[in-house]
Amino acid sequence: MSNYIQAIDLIRDLRAENGSAWAAIDPESVARMKIQNRFQTGLDIAKYTADIMRQDMADYDVDSSAYTQSLGCWHGFIGQQKMISIKKHFSTVKKNYLYLSGWMVAALRSDFGPLPDQSMHEKTSVPALIEELYTFLRQADAWELNHLYRNLDAAKEAGNEVEVANLIKQIDNHETHVVPIVADIDAGFGNDEATYLLSKKMIEAGACCIQIENQVSDAKQCGHQDGKVTVPHEDFISKINAVRYAFLELGVDNGVIVARTDSLGAGLTQKIPVSLSEGDLASQYTAFIETTDVNSPDDLAEGDMVLKQDGKLVKPVRLPNGLVKFKAGTGEDRCVLDCITSLQHGADLLWIETEKPHIGQIAGMVNRIREVIPNAKLVYNNSPSFNWTLSFRQQVFDTWRENGRDMDAYTRDDLMNVAYDETELGRKADEKIQNFQREAAAEAGIFHHLITLPTYHTAALSTDVLAKGYFGDEGMLAYVKGVQREEIRRGIATVKHQDMAGSNIGDDHKGYFAGEKALKAEGKDNTMKQFG
């Protein structure tokens, strides 16, 4: 039997048990409300999406073409419209997630106003955004189902039994817009207990996947800025454990932890760990520190530190602020050790923050990690901090030059020039950008591709285009031609913004509650009817 029909029958029985006092309750209306509100709590969402993500990870292990993707979003409406668009264009939201960017929370959601990505924003703004995103995704379900309900009523009124059966089937098989969110907890916003407490709030809001990085919490920098300071492995493992304990306490046993390493671009550490045995993690971390030999007490200044390494005394190189330098050129080795250590101590996925989108560089590290952990896989930041056009044009330029090709027609340092857009080199670079996700998934172990800040940039770009036209010579035509007409022709639901915001849902609910006495908004004077 149809789930929809079963839900109606259950409410009908319940109404009968409660006698005449429930006579005004319509079983079909209640069933519709229950179906449109599939997830009762954030924990229900976290458990549901964790199962999805685990299955996606297993699918990728079998076939690298089954990689997943997401776009970063800073508001629930943005996340909602992404998933509605994906479902409209591809008929499913499978393998597509949302990304919650700490950078965008800092820049766009802090009560302090715009902030840099340095963990200065309120930690509570992170779970608040997760809850907001899922509120909007659930509303997308209600919005889509509301249209099916209305079509069902029309088919019943017309006596079209075939269409009635078809619509009931669509309701039964409705695919939710609720998808996994990869949620950025930065460096944990404090000590291990702070990380655990914030993780709980994020999970309770619906997060099935938490991404945490190995920077010092109170010195955190954006992964694409200088001055990054990492923590010893033992400290990072404690943070990973804190997140796992939070998942397990709340019953999300399948929760996913992404361990991010910033070591490739981090040249500093704040802390020298204590080694308890030769070759342990502490000694491996310390071995990367830049030192100078200590041959006598005269080699030491007041307050200098001394380490014993390989049977001799050495002095760590420290900056005036007390931070300790790593040896130059050790970034990749530190990344590989970070990743192996994280996976061996509870992380599920890796994130290597790189300075450029180069498949060969990423694959070189992943292949070394997979020598120890064969199914290691990455979440990768297809960052707007990269100049993708310049980077890939230079990669093509360098490859062609190495292969002996005459490159006199191109100037490497000027490859951003629009004059190169329609050249063979420009087209080849664009082809490589277009294929980046597929090739990186196959060659560099990237399970999940995301863009951290896309809607920060799209909001600014679209606003600039509209402002230039509307406040200039185009006037109102700038909005009509560039926005509304495009919405209509592309079939974007927001053109009927009253409906998208829930007006029709509210009208139907009013009808459930008050019957013919309900005051509704969709009468003949509702201007949304102009859009058909």
Side-chain angles (χ1 to χ4, degrees):
M1 182 186 287
S2 157
N3 293 332
Y4 181 69
I5 301 301
Q6 281 186 319
I8 295 171
D9 290 344
L10 285 171
I11 301 302
R12 184 176 290 116
D13 292 343
L14 185 60
R15 184 182 68 171
E17 291 173 13
N18 285 273
S20 60
W22 279 32
I25 301 299
D26 175 54
E28 186 163 14
S29 298
V30 176
R32 290 178 175 187
M33 295 176 78
K34 289 176 71 69
I35 290 168
Q36 75 186 23
N37 189 25
R38 173 176 175 179
F39 302 98
Q40 303 301 308
T41 69
L43 284 178
D44 292 337
I45 292 173
K47 292 173 184 177
Y48 168 78
T49 53
D51 287 342
I52 289 175
M53 200 163 177
R54 290 288 179 176
Q55 184 59 57
D56 288 347
M57 291 161 66
D59 292 346
Y60 174 81
D61 286 340
V62 174
D63 178 6
S64 67
S65 69
Y67 60 87
T68 57
Q69 301 180 96
S70 66
L71 293 174
C73 42
W74 51 272
H75 193 279
F77 177 72
I78 301 297
Q80 178 198 67
Q81 292 305 305
K82 281 183 197 172
M83 300 323 298
I84 288 175
S85 292
I86 289 169
K87 198 171 182 184
K88 179 184 75 173
H89 291 297
F90 306 106
S91 302
T92 182
V93 297
K94 289 183 171 119
K95 307 296 183 186
N96 297 297
Y97 306 164
L98 293 180
Y99 180 65
L100 186 151
S101 161
W103 194 101
M104 285 210 284
V105 173
L108 298 168
R109 299 301 299 259
S110 172
D111 287 343
F112 292 105
L115 294 172
D117 182 22
Q118 295 171 3
S119 286
M120 294 189 289
H121 56 281
E122 311 88 338
K123 64 179 70 176
T124 53
S125 59
V126 181
L129 179 53
I130 295 170
E131 182 178 8
E132 177 180 293
L133 285 163
Y134 280 127
T135 296
F136 273 81
L137 293 182
R138 291 160 70 191
Q139 195 258 1
D141 285 354
W143 165 79
E144 190 169 61
L145 283 163
N146 180 258
H147 283 267
L148 291 176
Y149 297 155
R150 287 182 164 218
N151 292 341
L152 177 59
D153 289 339
K156 286 180 178 179
E157 188 174 343
N160 188 338
E161 294 184 4
V162 173
E163 183 64 8
V164 167
N166 177 54
L167 285 162
I168 289 174
K169 184 177 180 181
Q170 288 183 55
I171 293 167
D172 283 342
N173 296 323
H174 177 261
E175 182 185 33
T176 179
H177 295 84
V178 169
V179 296
I181 291 176
V182 179
D184 184 3
I185 199 174
D186 281 12
F189 284 90
N191 61 20
D192 301 346
E193 177 70 2
T195 300
Y196 153 76
L197 291 171
L198 181 55
S199 295
K200 281 182 62 177
K201 288 295 184 184
M202 293 168 69
I203 297 161
E204 288 169 342
C208 74
C209 177
I210 293 178
Q211 164 217 327
I212 188 164
E213 62 202 53
N214 70 334
Q215 291 192 48
V216 174
S217 187
D218 61 357
K220 183 260 190 305
Q221 300 274 47
C222 172
H224 296 282
Q225 293 180 326
D226 201 359
K228 294 184 289 294
V229 185
T230 62
V231 298
H233 295 101
E234 294 89 344
D235 291 21
F236 191 52
I237 290 167
S238 296
K239 294 284 183 77
I240 291 173
N241 287 339
V243 178
R244 181 64 68 200
Y245 270 92
F247 272 126
L248 295 174
E249 177 183 336
L250 296 172
V252 186
D253 300 343
N254 264 356
V256 178
I257 299 174
V258 179
R260 168 176 148 178
T261 173
D262 283 274
S263 291
L264 194 62
L268 302 168
T269 186
Q270 190 180 56
K271 185 176 176 181
I272 297 178
V274 176
S275 176
L276 300 178
S277 62
E278 186 176 348
D280 64 9
L281 275 176
S283 65
Q284 291 179 67
Y285 187 80
T286 306
F288 290 118
I289 290 173
E290 184 176 337
T291 62
T292 57
D293 291 344
V294 176
N295 298 309
S296 73
D298 293 336
D299 294 331
L300 299 173
E302 186 71 20
D304 272 350
M305 301 168 62
V306 177
L307 298 174
K308 183 179 180 181
Q309 284 187 342
D310 299 326
K312 63 181 182 180
L313 297 180
V314 295
K315 178 175 66 174
V317 175
R318 291 196 296 171
L319 302 181
N321 57 16
L323 297 174
V324 176
K325 291 181 65 176
F326 286 114
K327 296 173 184 173
T330 62
E332 287 201 9
D333 290 339
R334 284 184 280 125
C335 277
V336 170
L337 180 59
D338 292 343
C339 292
I340 292 170
T341 300
S342 295
L343 292 176
Q344 289 175 331
H345 291 86
D348 302 293
L349 294 168
L350 303 171
W351 174 315
I352 300 175
E353 194 76 315
T354 66
E355 82 287 1
K356 59 182 180 295
H358 193 289
I359 292 175
Q361 178 196 37
I362 304 163
M365 290 183 278
V366 170
N367 289 337
R368 291 173 62 189
I369 296 162
R370 284 182 164 178
E371 290 175 5
V372 180
I373 302 174
N375 70 338
K377 43 193 168 285
L378 298 185
V379 171
Y380 188 71
N381 178 8
N382 298 337
S383 177
S385 292
F386 303 145
N387 186 331
W388 286 77
T389 301
L390 181 61
S391 179
F392 277 87
R393 287 181 180 182
Q394 287 181 341
Q395 288 180 43
V396 172
F397 181 97
D398 293 342
T399 299
W400 284 0
R401 184 169 59 183
E402 288 168 10
N403 292 337
R405 188 160 174 168
D406 181 4
M407 301 304 294
D408 287 347
Y410 303 98
T411 303
R412 191 180 189 278
D413 292 337
D414 190 38
L415 290 176
M416 273 299 295
N417 195 312
V418 68
Y420 294 121
D421 285 1
E422 297 305 320
T423 63
E424 183 184 2
L425 184 146
R427 289 191 293 270
K428 182 64 176 178
D430 284 352
E431 179 185 322
K432 290 176 71 66
I433 293 170
Q434 182 178 0
N435 294 329
F436 178 78
Q437 287 146 297
R438 178 179 56 81
E439 292 179 0
E443 300 172 24
I446 297 178
F447 156 73
H448 185 74
H449 282 275
L450 60 88
I451 306 177
T452 44
L453 323 175
T455 50
Y456 179 87
H457 294 278
T458 56
L461 176 60
S462 61
T463 301
D464 180 78
V465 172
L466 177 60
K468 180 183 178 183
Y470 178 73
F471 294 103
D473 293 339
E474 284 186 283
M476 192 58 198
L477 181 61
Y479 175 79
V480 173
K481 183 179 178 181
V483 181
Q484 189 178 82
R485 199 176 291 168
E486 285 299 304
E487 284 181 304
I488 294 169
R489 291 175 177 174
R490 289 173 178 264
I492 296 174
T494 53
V495 72
K496 299 181 182 179
H497 48 256
Q498 309 285 16
D499 174 43
M500 190 73 256
S503 180
N504 289 350
I505 296 172
D507 269 2
D508 288 352
H509 288 178
K510 291 173 191 175
Y512 301 166
F513 307 150
E516 294 182 356
K517 297 179 181 179
L519 179 63
K520 297 185 178 182
E522 62 169 332
K524 63 181 179 62
D525 292 328
N526 189 320
T527 59
M528 286 290 102
K529 293 185 179 297
Q530 296 175 31
F531 298 99

